[in-house]
Amino acid sequence: MLTLENVAVFYGQVPAIHDVNAAFEAGTVNFVVGPNGAGKSTLLLAIAGAVRARNGVVILDGKHISGLNSEDIVALGCSLVPEGRQVFARLTVAENLQIGLIAGRTKGAGRGDLEQVLSHFPILRSRYRQLAGTLSGGEQQQLSIARALLTRPKLMLIDEPSLGLAPLVVDGVYEVLARLRDEGLTMIVVEQQTTRVKKIGDTVTVLRDGNVSFFRSTSEIVDYGELEKAYFGFNN
Ligand SMILES: Nc1ncnc2c1ncn2[C@@H]1O[C@H](COP(=O)(O)OP(=O)(O)OP(=O)(O)O)[C@@H](O)[C@H]1O
Ligand SMILES: [Mg+2]
């Protein structure tokens, strides 16, 4: 469904990611893990068209999307849940969700979509008229995911959904992601930790210093120690 070929992104003269090759299949949950500064967010931003790749191509369902602007990429079915949620703090929950509906540019999208998405996030229904900035971190994370879902994505990119949240809240977020996986949504999930990989991941990619240092289907991982080694740079 998504292929990256030799993708590189530079900030000024410095490459944040380089020579990234990867392929993700429809209906799978794909983790991208790595330490601070490895280039994980940059990778998602490059796929989503929020930063421009200097080299390489990104192909979504056979269509070259590198070079398109982010609005067009959303309309093609690829939606980003950014690091730090990025909800519009001074707009209400309802207004934030409305933005998702509009961004998807889907004909006929409306009340039905909203009801379906809210069924995953009952707390948002009870906070519907509240300013998004007054929500808790976990509620904002739910709002950010809900907003992305309202664009009717076939591929959702989720950047550190557990960032700054209490473990129980993280469990709740991952329960929602597991349900979305069961509904067939394809996901690329960025995390700093590898703790959730085994539970709901189909593949795991380790990014170190802007490059893929490890890729494996979770079904092929016999010893999770090798993943940890790759993460900490102890392989080879
Ligand atoms: N806007 C920017 N301008 C200049 N350099 C940047 C910018 N954004 C990121 N970088 C640099 O690019 C590299 C990759 O950053 P990125 O945010 O993609 O890493 P990350 O893996 O998401 O890290 P974290 O786990 O801390 O979120 C880092 O060295 C970072 O300092
Ligand atoms: Mg990041």
Side-chain angles (χ1 to χ4, degrees):
M1 153 172 264
L2 186 82
T3 310
L4 305 169
E5 291 174 3
N6 298 318
V7 173
V9 174
F10 282 65
Y11 295 114
Q13 298 301 310
V14 187
I17 56 172
H18 61 92
D19 303 304
V20 172
N21 292 288
F24 304 108
E25 286 174 24
T28 57
V29 176
N30 306 276
F31 277 88
V32 175
V33 298
N36 276 129
K40 306 179 298 295
S41 295
T42 301
L43 180 66
L44 294 192
L45 291 170
I47 297 168
V51 297
R52 187 62 45 109
R54 180 179 293 190
N55 295 316
V57 289
V58 181
I59 304 165
L60 175 67
D61 283 338
K63 190 175 168 64
H64 284 242
I65 60 168
S66 25
L68 297 184
N69 65 40
S70 51
E71 291 84 356
D72 290 336
I73 292 174
V74 169
L76 286 171
C78 175
S79 201
L80 172 68
V81 181
E83 187 175 298
R85 359 276 185 215
Q86 311 286 343
V87 298
F88 295 101
R90 305 184 68 158
L91 299 182
T92 63
V93 168
E95 288 162 342
N96 271 274
L97 294 174
Q98 202 63 38
I99 287 167
L101 268 180
I102 295 164
R105 292 189 209 156
T106 313
K107 258 203 180 133
R111 195 74 226 162
D113 293 64
L114 211 46
E115 285 303 321
Q116 198 199 347
V117 167
L118 285 172
S119 71
H120 286 297
F121 306 101
I123 191 74
L124 296 182
R125 203 189 288 279
S126 60
R127 302 276 187 273
Y128 205 58
R129 298 287 165 204
Q130 199 168 312
L131 292 182
T134 65
L135 298 178
S136 72
E139 290 162 357
Q140 289 188 15
Q141 187 64 65
Q142 295 184 55
L143 176 57
S144 188
I145 294 170
R147 185 179 58 187
L149 285 173
L150 284 167
T151 69
R152 286 197 194 168
K154 47 191 176 188
L155 171 64
M156 195 157 79
L157 315 170
I158 313 166
D159 199 346
E160 293 202 43
S162 61
L163 188 72
L165 303 182
L168 269 180
V169 180
V170 176
D171 288 346
V173 170
Y174 270 93
E175 274 167 28
V176 172
L177 297 186
R179 254 183 278 142
L180 295 171
R181 176 201 55 190
D182 294 344
E183 290 176 7
L185 181 64
T186 312
M187 287 178 258
I188 301 177
V189 186
V190 157
E191 283 288 7
Q192 275 193 33
Q193 309 293 332
T194 58
T195 38
R196 304 275 162 178
V197 170
K198 199 176 187 176
K199 242 181 177 170
I200 74 159
D202 294 295
T203 75
V204 57
T205 300
V206 177
L207 211 57
R208 283 190 63 83
D209 299 328
N211 196 237
V212 174
S213 67
F214 179 94
F215 172 82
R216 202 66 57 86
S217 293
T218 50
S219 60
E220 291 169 356
I221 300 180
V222 184
D223 172 12
Y224 269 78
E226 57 179 332
L227 171 60
E228 297 301 321
K229 279 187 195 157
Y231 185 104
F232 291 108
F234 297 149
N235 55 339
N236 304 318

